[in-house]
Amino acid sequence: MRKNAWNTYNETDKKAVFALADDYKNFISNCKTERECVKEAIQIAEANGYKNLETMIKEGTPLKAHDKVYANNMGKTLALFHIGKEPLANGMNILGAHVDSPRLDLKQVPLYEDSELAMLDTHYYGGIKYYQWVTLPLALHGVVIKKDGSSIDVCIGEKEDDPVVGISDLLIHLSHDQMSKNAAKVVEGEDLNVTVGSIPLKDTEKDAVKANILKLLKEQYDFEEEDFLSAEIEVVPAGKARDYGLDRSMVMGYGHDDRICAYTSLRAILEEEDIQRTAVCLLVDKEEVGSIGATGMHSKFFENCVAEVLDRMGVYSELNVRRALKNSNMLSSDVSAAFDPNYAGVMEKNNAAYFGKGIVFNKYTGSRGKSGCNDANAEYLAQLRDIMEKENVCFQTAELGKVDQGGGGTIAYILAQYDMQVIDSGIALHNMHAPWEVASKADIYEATKAYKAFLKHAK
Ligand code: MN
Ligand code: MN
């Protein structure tokens, strides 16, 4: 059995574990969309000396060893580069994670009135159990882009005196039929409609409650019904991340998947100064829906960034781009399933992840005969074991559940197409993809240590 990280901590370590968890709780409490994550990550990066690559390209500023730059892709994906002493063509040490999380998106024509209630229609994003999203306080986060290109930020439901919205569930007294349905049908995807109002606008004949909500949106946010057409508004659990457990050893929050790996990867690249090879942190969008689109990992964004960085260093060539990518190492981080005694049946104990046992390395993911997996090379795992031991990092290895119980995908296989060394790694959770997920503070701490050790030593 792997050791429990809590047993390795002295009082100073424990303080550091709890302090890091506090910073992380703040991050996920404030950042509940991919746009909010990227915006905040840019602010943190700039405060730590990172410059905008776009500006450097425009101004023709050269890049050299020790420089720090970031590239922002449409406000939804971010790449950070800390240029190392070694030539870029020797390869990079890359930390990757995703900043999109399962949620409900407002449809393009979302607002309607039914029986004098104003409702918002949604289309869920990512894999969710519909029934988990009813009777919860929900918040609206997102942007509305007007025809003139101006952008309105929306965030309703997070301040102490903000209203919240929500999705109703059927009272138990009338649930005889509902209770005999299977879990996928108890609440249906199309029925995830958010209640947002019930006061009719005076002297209005048709849809007076809806009219009143539109009036309110116009007054408070200066947008109109048509503007929903060019909006991205996400319905997410309202409220802050909290300490979980009487000993405060865990964090309950929305969007651990995968902001927990994104935040710890970001902290690692900002904190680790002792690097030889160029360090990269990639925070990507769209993982939960297959990594497609301009801001997903399948996009050419990252490859283009590498070309631009080489160009800024005066050594751009097609061959150098290919070499830089091919010679790289990557920790593709995403959350794992932590062993849960309530659901022990889906796990195989020797190859499950556990709370408090550190960062998880998944040699492979995939399902049904490892189908679709990125099976990391034994040679690469051996190097990682050596690095983790060198820096006293607690780590564990795991599969996602028993053979033939299911499985999951990540972004690992996409980067592996460049012929680089990639392994799935990350932090184990309870309640993955539920509105409120749970993680261990020790694992957050050990993951950050692991990422720093990787940036420093991997070759
Ligand atoms: Mn994920
Ligand atoms: Mn996920």
Side-chain angles (χ1 to χ4, degrees), residues 211-224:
N212 193 45
I213 292 292
L214 284 170
K215 179 168 171 268
L216 188 151
L217 290 176
K218 178 71 188 161
E219 282 166 6
Q220 292 184 11
Y221 291 91
D222 191 31
F223 73 85
E224 328 207 353

Side-chain angles (χ1 to χ4, degrees), residues 252-289:
M252 173 175 256
Y254 164 67
H256 283 327
D257 182 0
D258 182 35
R259 293 165 191 152
I260 200 166
C261 298
Y263 183 77
T264 46
S265 294
L266 177 66
R267 283 287 290 245
I269 196 171
L270 298 179
E271 287 173 14
E272 187 54 61
E273 288 293 336
D274 185 11
I275 57 152
Q276 299 295 315
R277 284 154 66 94
T278 293
V280 174
C281 175
L282 256 179
L283 307 180
V284 300
D285 180 30
K286 296 284 183 284
E287 192 279 337
E288 296 294 356
V289 291

Side-chain angles (χ1 to χ4, degrees), residues 98 100-102 126-127 257-258 287-288 334-335 409 432-433 437:
H98 68 91
D100 59 316
S101 296
D257 182 0
D258 182 35
E287 192 279 337
E288 296 294 356
D334 208 339
V335 293
M432 192 195 297
H433 281 210
E437 302 174 312

Side-chain angles (χ1 to χ4, degrees), residues 66-137:
H66 308 297
D67 283 349
K68 297 168 179 179
V69 287
Y70 69 84
N72 167 4
N73 186 16
M74 303 180 184
K76 298 176 178 179
T77 292
L78 186 67
L80 293 95
F81 292 81
H82 179 179
I83 309 296
K85 287 169 232 162
E86 275 189 39
L88 199 67
N90 287 10
M92 304 161 275
N93 289 339
I94 304 170
L95 301 171
H98 68 91
V99 289
D100 59 316
S101 296
R103 62 184 189 245
L104 311 175
D105 285 340
L106 291 195
K107 287 187 179 179
Q108 280 196 285
V109 181
L111 184 62
Y112 66 98
E113 177 168 339
D114 192 339
S115 316
E116 296 182 54
L117 289 174
M119 314 282 288
L120 288 170
D121 207 339
T122 67
H123 193 143
Y124 67 99
Y125 174 99
I128 61 165
K129 293 178 170 180
Y130 310 131
Y131 66 78
Q132 293 178 332
W133 290 75
V134 296
T135 69
L136 287 175

Side-chain angles (χ1 to χ4, degrees), residues 268-335:
I269 196 171
L270 298 179
E271 287 173 14
E272 187 54 61
E273 288 293 336
D274 185 11
I275 57 152
Q276 299 295 315
R277 284 154 66 94
T278 293
V280 174
C281 175
L282 256 179
L283 307 180
V284 300
D285 180 30
K286 296 284 183 284
E287 192 279 337
E288 296 294 356
V289 291
S291 298
I292 30 57
T295 55
M297 195 63 244
H298 277 298
S299 146
K300 299 278 183 237
F301 165 68
F302 178 56
E303 195 182 315
N304 291 344
C305 285
V306 173
E308 294 286 6
V309 167
L310 284 163
D311 190 43
R312 288 297 94 221
M313 298 177 81
V315 290
Y316 169 77
S317 71
E318 168 73 18
L319 191 58
N320 272 342
V321 174
R322 292 187 191 207
R323 282 178 178 159
L325 290 162
K326 186 224 149 27
N327 292 327
S328 289
N329 300 307
M330 183 185 197
L331 294 185
S332 172
S333 286
D334 208 339
V335 293

